[in-house]
Amino acid sequence: MRGYFAAQALLPQGWAEDVRIEVGPEGNIVQVEPGAAPDELERLPGIVLPGMGDVHCHAFQRALAGLAERLGSDEASFWSWRQTMYAFLARLGPDDVAAIAAQLYMELLKGGYTAVGEFHYLHHAPDGTPYDDPATMALALHEAASEVGIGLTLLPALYMTGGFGDQSLDDAQRRFRLDPDQLFRLLERLDRVFRDDPARRLGFAPHSLRAVPPAALREAVLEAARRDVAGPIHIHLAEQVREVRECLEQTGRRPLERLMELAELGAQWCIVHGTHLDEDELERLAASGAVVGLCPTTEANLGDGVFPLAAFLDHGGRFAIGSDSNVATSVSEELRLLEYGQRLTLLRRCVGASRAEPHCGALLWRRALAGAALALGRPVGRIAPGFRADLVALEEREPSLVAKRGDQILDALVFAPAGGPVPDVMVGGVWRIRHGRHAAEARISEAYRATLRRLLA
Ligand SMILES: [Zn+2]
């Protein structure tokens, strides 16, 4: 058992001072005591928060960040970006993915995330042939997460069609092909590796309504319920206007309506983006208890649109945040853009706040913590007994944090300039970032640089 002392800590019941946090040998918090004496405890830098969960990530896309910002001959859109992404990933093998993911996961820790939901669809070799071990790519991601020490919920994606109406996959998409039989074989294989590891969780992801035929989606969800290998279920939904239009044309239903015909939604579901859901869909989504996974910097980068957060919160909806294409890797940046998108659209301030919880940054931060724990299917996001000792420790003397108390701290983290990476990050009771550095940083970054030089040569 190890004991830590924090001058200020964000607990489930609110901010507390002089907090003693006891961590057991398995990396779980076993006791939390406010108003304690520091005694022989290890003193944390000052302000301690639960680590944030990143609910939506495609790790390999980190290497593409900055490479898709040039206007080509056609109008630049999500769909033209997707072609650039396909061309880039044609060169990626499992070692490349492991090196890119390790660099990214380290950056996520420094950005305040301690767990990631990897929405994994890059299953096969570049020509579409499965690797000898079909879990090769999934295990590359697992190994990167292990090297860095971030919590991982791995969500292998079903991917069967190139568009609504059973369109065939194009050449680039053959690497993604996975049907329900293959999915459950892969989950069984991964379960043998993940089973006893408290930093791992398995779920699965029907990629989208356009990539998974209705019968397969229904079958996979029912089969997952019959087995105990599958946890959270994530799906991309209503990210693009064109996707909503095609869904309407092909099915006569809007995307959420259509999904709800195929599966019963609940708290284990994460609806990724949901940018173009209408008022009725927002209400139904909120009532289902599902979490919406918002990725504001990626949604901005891709020109997706702005999620109607104010209306969704009015309906009592749950949300979490994701780094998605990894054009940004910081909790603060995602929450800031989430709120600023609302302000710019609605022409008012503090849109995320409520009368009961008037601090805007604090409300967004707390809701994202709670939503991520659900969407990742792991006991994270709370400094409380039984939860993982995933802690982010901040310096009180950081210019934007100096003399702040309680919820002012979270407001400052979202809306004031960041002084640099999060200095100290613990995952499962183990320090992974100390004074802004990872112990394996030199090796991880050199492997990443070597990979990028080769890929871009
Ligand atoms: Zn995505």
Side-chain angles (χ1 to χ4, degrees):
M1 192 99 77
R2 279 149 301 149
Y4 301 92
F5 180 85
Q8 292 194 75
L10 179 63
L11 304 184
Q13 63 271 32
W15 285 93
E17 298 195 353
D18 300 336
V19 182
R20 177 191 184 99
I21 303 167
E22 298 277 358
V23 178
E26 305 292 324
N28 281 345
I29 296 169
V30 293
Q31 204 191 341
V32 179
E33 184 193 348
D39 295 338
E40 74 297 356
L41 303 173
E42 181 179 336
R43 237 172 216 281
L44 299 174
I47 300 166
V48 178
L49 309 174
M52 183 66 76
D54 172 352
V55 302
H56 189 66
C57 172
H58 309 290
F60 73 84
Q61 291 181 14
R62 167 66 182 87
L64 188 64
L67 288 175
E69 306 301 331
R70 181 174 177 273
L71 185 63
S73 50
D74 296 330
E75 191 184 326
S77 68
F78 169 88
W79 308 100
S80 65
W81 169 85
R82 194 177 71 156
Q83 288 311 119
T84 308
M85 187 261 285
Y86 285 176
F88 182 77
L89 66 79
R91 283 165 261 165
L92 293 182
D95 293 345
D96 304 316
V97 167
I100 295 165
Q103 173 69 26
L104 170 72
Y105 293 161
M106 183 174 71
E107 291 169 347
L108 292 177
L109 288 181
K110 293 183 182 187
Y113 296 105
T114 49
V116 61
E118 181 69 36
F119 192 115
H120 165 54
Y121 60 87
L122 189 59
H123 301 300
H124 310 307
D127 66 354
T129 316
Y131 291 106
D132 290 342
D133 178 354
T136 296
M137 277 296 195
L139 292 173
L141 294 162
H142 158 69
E143 277 152 25
S146 299
E147 180 177 24
V148 170
I150 199 167
L152 174 68
T153 297
L154 187 66
L155 304 148
L158 287 170
Y159 204 116
M160 297 164 70
T161 53
F164 286 98
D166 286 340
Q167 288 174 45
S168 53
L169 298 174
D170 66 26
D171 287 348
Q173 293 167 332
R174 262 185 280 205
R175 294 192 79 175
F176 314 152
R177 194 182 187 288
L178 202 74
D179 64 27
D181 283 347
Q182 293 168 302
L183 169 72
F184 287 106
R185 280 202 300 277
L186 178 61
L187 288 175
E188 272 174 31
R189 164 90 174 83
L190 293 170
D191 183 53
R192 292 198 287 278
V193 181
F194 283 24
R195 191 179 295 153
D196 299 318
D197 186 344
R200 293 288 175 275
R201 182 76 203 252
L202 283 172
F204 78 99
H207 178 277
S208 54
L209 292 174
R210 61 188 144 83
V212 183
L217 196 152
R218 203 183 259 138
E219 178 195 334
V221 171
L222 291 175
E223 184 60 25
R226 278 195 288 270
R227 298 169 182 238
D228 64 356
V229 286
I233 308 173
H234 292 212
I235 185 170
H236 293 118
L237 198 85
E239 179 178 6
Q240 282 284 316
V241 173
R242 179 175 125 185
E243 183 193 345
V244 175
R245 190 180 65 234
E246 288 174 353
C247 184
L248 264 169
E249 284 166 5
Q250 289 289 329
T251 71
R253 301 277 185 274
R254 293 185 54 86
L256 190 83
E257 265 187 299
R258 180 59 173 157
L259 178 62
M260 289 177 105
E261 287 180 339
L262 302 174
E264 191 181 334
L265 301 191
Q268 82 277 30
W269 279 82
C270 180
I271 304 302
V272 180
H273 305 303
T275 317
H276 299 288
L277 297 179
D278 71 10
E279 187 65 35
D280 180 55
E281 289 176 298
L282 289 175
E283 189 172 352
R284 294 179 68 185
L285 178 58
S288 77
V291 175
V292 63
L294 303 174
C295 311
T297 58
T298 295
E299 289 152 7
N301 183 279
L302 297 180
D304 288 342
V306 177
F307 178 79
L309 181 73
F312 189 59
L313 291 178
D314 283 346
H315 292 303
R318 290 166 161 161
F319 76 88
I321 52 169
S323 62
D324 193 355
S325 68
N326 303 303
V327 286
T329 52
S330 134
V331 175
S332 298
E333 260 187 85
E334 294 301 339
L335 292 177
R336 184 183 309 133
L337 189 55
L338 175 61
E339 170 66 20
Y340 282 174
Q342 308 300 310
R343 294 186 188 188
L344 289 165
T345 311
L346 300 172
L347 312 182
R348 58 188 172 93
R349 301 188 67 249
C350 301
V351 176
S354 68
R355 293 280 167 241
E357 292 176 82
H359 286 270
C360 185
L363 183 146
L364 296 173
W365 203 287
R366 284 197 176 89
R367 299 291 175 89
L369 282 170
L374 281 173
L376 297 177
R378 297 185 56 236
V380 294
R382 290 164 84 89
I383 301 177
F387 284 76
R388 298 297 291 162
D390 291 0
L391 305 176
V392 162
L394 307 162
E395 297 275 1
E396 285 173 312
R397 59 194 176 80
E398 192 60 51
S400 287
L401 299 180
V402 71
K404 304 285 196 309
R405 314 298 294 172
D407 282 350
Q408 289 175 339
I409 293 167
L410 297 174
D411 286 352
L413 282 174
V414 178
F415 299 111
V422 173
D424 294 278
V425 181
M426 173 188 286
V427 188
V430 179
W431 287 115
R432 296 299 182 177
I433 302 293
R434 291 302 332 237
H435 311 296
R437 300 272 304 173
H438 191 280
E441 182 148 351
R443 183 179 72 233
I444 290 168
S445 292
E446 190 42 54
Y448 179 78
R449 283 192 284 267
T451 300
L452 259 279
R453 283 190 199 108
R454 195 172 62 251
L455 290 171
L456 301 183

mmCIF file of all heavy atoms in Angstrom, residues 56-58 61 78 81 119 121 207 236 239 272-273 295 298 302 324-325, ligand 1:
data_model
loop_
_atom_site.group_PDB
_atom_site.id
_atom_site.type_symbol
_atom_site.label_atom_id
_atom_site.label_comp_id
_atom_site.label_asym_id
_atom_site.label_seq_id
_atom_site.Cartn_x
_atom_site.Cartn_y
_atom_site.Cartn_z
ATOM 1 N N HIS A 56 -12.376 8.212 -28.044
ATOM 2 C CA HIS A 56 -12.370 7.906 -29.472
ATOM 3 C C HIS A 56 -11.033 8.262 -30.085
ATOM 4 O O HIS A 56 -10.678 9.439 -30.178
ATOM 5 C CB HIS A 56 -13.492 8.652 -30.192
ATOM 6 C CG HIS A 56 -13.669 8.207 -31.610
ATOM 7 N ND1 HIS A 56 -14.103 6.943 -31.933
ATOM 8 C CD2 HIS A 56 -13.435 8.829 -32.802
ATOM 9 C CE1 HIS A 56 -14.153 6.817 -33.255
ATOM 10 N NE2 HIS A 56 -13.740 7.947 -33.803
ATOM 11 N N CYS A 57 -10.313 7.237 -30.528
ATOM 12 C CA CYS A 57 -8.966 7.453 -31.041
ATOM 13 C C CYS A 57 -8.683 6.461 -32.161
ATOM 14 O O CYS A 57 -9.014 5.279 -32.053
ATOM 15 C CB CYS A 57 -7.978 7.240 -29.887
ATOM 16 S SG CYS A 57 -6.247 7.254 -30.374
ATOM 17 N N HIS A 58 -8.083 6.966 -33.258
ATOM 18 C CA HIS A 58 -7.476 6.109 -34.273
ATOM 19 C C HIS A 58 -5.996 6.464 -34.226
ATOM 20 O O HIS A 58 -5.561 7.449 -34.836
ATOM 21 C CB HIS A 58 -8.039 6.398 -35.664
ATOM 22 C CG HIS A 58 -9.542 6.405 -35.729
ATOM 23 N ND1 HIS A 58 -10.308 5.275 -35.602
ATOM 24 C CD2 HIS A 58 -10.424 7.422 -35.897
ATOM 25 C CE1 HIS A 58 -11.585 5.579 -35.705
ATOM 26 N NE2 HIS A 58 -11.688 6.883 -35.878
ATOM 27 N N GLN A 61 -3.581 7.686 -37.096
ATOM 28 C CA GLN A 61 -3.813 8.971 -37.751
ATOM 29 C C GLN A 61 -2.942 10.091 -37.166
ATOM 30 O O GLN A 61 -2.807 11.153 -37.771
ATOM 31 C CB GLN A 61 -5.301 9.334 -37.699
ATOM 32 C CG GLN A 61 -6.132 8.398 -38.581
ATOM 33 C CD GLN A 61 -7.614 8.721 -38.585
ATOM 34 O OE1 GLN A 61 -8.031 9.787 -38.139
ATOM 35 N NE2 GLN A 61 -8.423 7.801 -39.084
ATOM 36 N N PHE A 78 -14.353 16.283 -45.852
ATOM 37 C CA PHE A 78 -14.119 15.042 -45.115
ATOM 38 C C PHE A 78 -13.760 13.923 -46.073
ATOM 39 O O PHE A 78 -12.860 13.136 -45.821
ATOM 40 C CB PHE A 78 -15.395 14.665 -44.343
ATOM 41 C CG PHE A 78 -15.370 13.277 -43.748
ATOM 42 C CD1 PHE A 78 -14.844 13.048 -42.489
ATOM 43 C CD2 PHE A 78 -15.877 12.190 -44.465
ATOM 44 C CE1 PHE A 78 -14.817 11.771 -41.945
ATOM 45 C CE2 PHE A 78 -15.853 10.900 -43.929
ATOM 46 C CZ PHE A 78 -15.323 10.703 -42.661
ATOM 47 N N TRP A 81 -10.288 14.249 -47.491
ATOM 48 C CA TRP A 81 -9.347 13.911 -46.405
ATOM 49 C C TRP A 81 -9.262 12.396 -46.262
ATOM 50 O O TRP A 81 -8.177 11.845 -46.069
ATOM 51 C CB TRP A 81 -9.830 14.537 -45.085
ATOM 52 C CG TRP A 81 -9.070 14.022 -43.893
ATOM 53 C CD1 TRP A 81 -7.882 14.489 -43.417
ATOM 54 C CD2 TRP A 81 -9.432 12.915 -43.047
ATOM 55 N NE1 TRP A 81 -7.484 13.740 -42.334
ATOM 56 C CE2 TRP A 81 -8.412 12.763 -42.082
ATOM 57 C CE3 TRP A 81 -10.507 12.034 -43.018
ATOM 58 C CZ2 TRP A 81 -8.444 11.769 -41.108
ATOM 59 C CZ3 TRP A 81 -10.538 11.042 -42.047
ATOM 60 C CH2 TRP A 81 -9.519 10.923 -41.103
ATOM 61 N N PHE A 119 -10.479 2.865 -31.374
ATOM 62 C CA PHE A 119 -11.487 2.409 -32.345
ATOM 63 C C PHE A 119 -10.682 1.841 -33.509
ATOM 64 O O PHE A 119 -10.183 2.574 -34.352
ATOM 65 C CB PHE A 119 -12.334 3.611 -32.754
ATOM 66 C CG PHE A 119 -13.590 3.330 -33.519
ATOM 67 C CD1 PHE A 119 -14.832 3.629 -32.976
ATOM 68 C CD2 PHE A 119 -13.544 2.805 -34.799
ATOM 69 C CE1 PHE A 119 -16.008 3.410 -33.699
ATOM 70 C CE2 PHE A 119 -14.709 2.584 -35.518
ATOM 71 C CZ PHE A 119 -15.936 2.890 -34.959
ATOM 72 N N TYR A 121 -9.753 -0.246 -36.710
ATOM 73 C CA TYR A 121 -10.276 -0.865 -37.936
ATOM 74 C C TYR A 121 -9.182 -1.237 -38.937
ATOM 75 O O TYR A 121 -9.461 -1.785 -39.997
ATOM 76 C CB TYR A 121 -11.330 0.037 -38.601
ATOM 77 C CG TYR A 121 -10.868 1.405 -39.024
ATOM 78 C CD1 TYR A 121 -10.298 1.612 -40.272
ATOM 79 C CD2 TYR A 121 -11.026 2.502 -38.186
ATOM 80 C CE1 TYR A 121 -9.886 2.865 -40.662
ATOM 81 C CE2 TYR A 121 -10.607 3.770 -38.567
ATOM 82 C CZ TYR A 121 -10.040 3.949 -39.802
ATOM 83 O OH TYR A 121 -9.620 5.200 -40.197
ATOM 84 N N HIS A 207 -18.462 -0.112 -37.356
ATOM 85 C CA HIS A 207 -17.788 1.123 -37.766
ATOM 86 C C HIS A 207 -18.760 2.277 -37.969
ATOM 87 O O HIS A 207 -18.557 3.381 -37.463
ATOM 88 C CB HIS A 207 -16.979 0.899 -39.051
ATOM 89 C CG HIS A 207 -16.302 2.142 -39.558
ATOM 90 N ND1 HIS A 207 -16.950 3.082 -40.332
ATOM 91 C CD2 HIS A 207 -15.052 2.619 -39.354
ATOM 92 C CE1 HIS A 207 -16.117 4.078 -40.594
ATOM 93 N NE2 HIS A 207 -14.961 3.811 -40.014
ATOM 94 N N HIS A 236 -19.573 5.213 -35.204
ATOM 95 C CA HIS A 236 -19.605 6.559 -35.806
ATOM 96 C C HIS A 236 -21.029 6.806 -36.298
ATOM 97 O O HIS A 236 -21.592 5.956 -36.989
ATOM 98 C CB HIS A 236 -18.708 6.633 -37.045
ATOM 99 C CG HIS A 236 -17.236 6.513 -36.808
ATOM 100 N ND1 HIS A 236 -16.480 5.488 -37.322
ATOM 101 C CD2 HIS A 236 -16.369 7.316 -36.155
ATOM 102 C CE1 HIS A 236 -15.198 5.667 -36.999
ATOM 103 N NE2 HIS A 236 -15.108 6.757 -36.277
ATOM 104 N N GLU A 239 -21.890 11.981 -38.668
ATOM 105 C CA GLU A 239 -20.762 12.918 -38.636
ATOM 106 C C GLU A 239 -20.865 13.922 -39.777
ATOM 107 O O GLU A 239 -20.474 15.074 -39.628
ATOM 108 C CB GLU A 239 -19.439 12.138 -38.737
ATOM 109 C CG GLU A 239 -18.196 13.030 -38.736
ATOM 110 C CD GLU A 239 -16.891 12.251 -38.794
ATOM 111 O OE1 GLU A 239 -16.948 11.010 -38.956
ATOM 112 O OE2 GLU A 239 -15.823 12.875 -38.657
ATOM 113 N N VAL A 272 -20.398 8.082 -31.575
ATOM 114 C CA VAL A 272 -19.278 8.976 -31.859
ATOM 115 C C VAL A 272 -19.716 10.061 -32.854
ATOM 116 O O VAL A 272 -20.289 9.744 -33.898
ATOM 117 C CB VAL A 272 -18.081 8.183 -32.406
ATOM 118 C CG1 VAL A 272 -16.911 9.123 -32.702
ATOM 119 C CG2 VAL A 272 -17.662 7.112 -31.410
ATOM 120 N N HIS A 273 -19.475 11.290 -32.511
ATOM 121 C CA HIS A 273 -19.785 12.530 -33.253
ATOM 122 C C HIS A 273 -21.246 12.948 -33.048
ATOM 123 O O HIS A 273 -21.514 13.884 -32.325
ATOM 124 C CB HIS A 273 -19.466 12.432 -34.751
ATOM 125 C CG HIS A 273 -18.059 12.045 -35.046
ATOM 126 N ND1 HIS A 273 -16.991 12.769 -34.571
ATOM 127 C CD2 HIS A 273 -17.525 10.997 -35.743
ATOM 128 C CE1 HIS A 273 -15.865 12.191 -34.968
ATOM 129 N NE2 HIS A 273 -16.165 11.112 -35.675
ATOM 130 N N CYS A 295 -15.560 14.903 -30.510
ATOM 131 C CA CYS A 295 -14.143 15.042 -30.869
ATOM 132 C C CYS A 295 -13.972 16.417 -31.497
ATOM 133 O O CYS A 295 -13.763 16.527 -32.719
ATOM 134 C CB CYS A 295 -13.745 13.940 -31.840
ATOM 135 S SG CYS A 295 -14.255 12.288 -31.283
ATOM 136 N N THR A 298 -11.054 17.381 -34.068
ATOM 137 C CA THR A 298 -11.146 16.621 -35.322
ATOM 138 C C THR A 298 -12.364 17.068 -36.115
ATOM 139 O O THR A 298 -12.298 17.243 -37.342
ATOM 140 C CB THR A 298 -11.220 15.117 -35.029
ATOM 141 O OG1 THR A 298 -9.988 14.707 -34.439
ATOM 142 C CG2 THR A 298 -11.458 14.315 -36.294
ATOM 143 N N LEU A 302 -12.026 18.503 -39.837
ATOM 144 C CA LEU A 302 -12.641 17.837 -40.991
ATOM 145 C C LEU A 302 -13.844 18.595 -41.554
ATOM 146 O O LEU A 302 -14.444 18.163 -42.531
ATOM 147 C CB LEU A 302 -13.065 16.412 -40.603
ATOM 148 C CG LEU A 302 -11.922 15.485 -40.198
ATOM 149 C CD1 LEU A 302 -12.456 14.106 -39.830
ATOM 150 C CD2 LEU A 302 -10.897 15.363 -41.305
ATOM 151 N N ASP A 324 -9.707 11.351 -31.482
ATOM 152 C CA ASP A 324 -10.058 10.905 -32.833
ATOM 153 C C ASP A 324 -8.857 10.882 -33.787
ATOM 154 O O ASP A 324 -8.031 9.994 -33.716
ATOM 155 C CB ASP A 324 -11.215 11.764 -33.357
ATOM 156 C CG ASP A 324 -11.866 11.190 -34.605
ATOM 157 O OD1 ASP A 324 -11.365 10.184 -35.133
ATOM 158 O OD2 ASP A 324 -12.868 11.740 -35.083
ATOM 159 N N SER A 325 -8.714 11.885 -34.651
ATOM 160 C CA SER A 325 -7.614 11.870 -35.626
ATOM 161 C C SER A 325 -6.314 12.395 -35.017
ATOM 162 O O SER A 325 -5.287 12.412 -35.683
ATOM 163 C CB SER A 325 -7.985 12.707 -36.849
ATOM 164 O OG SER A 325 -8.059 14.073 -36.485
HETATM 165 ZN ZN ZN B 1 -13.389 8.023 -35.802
#
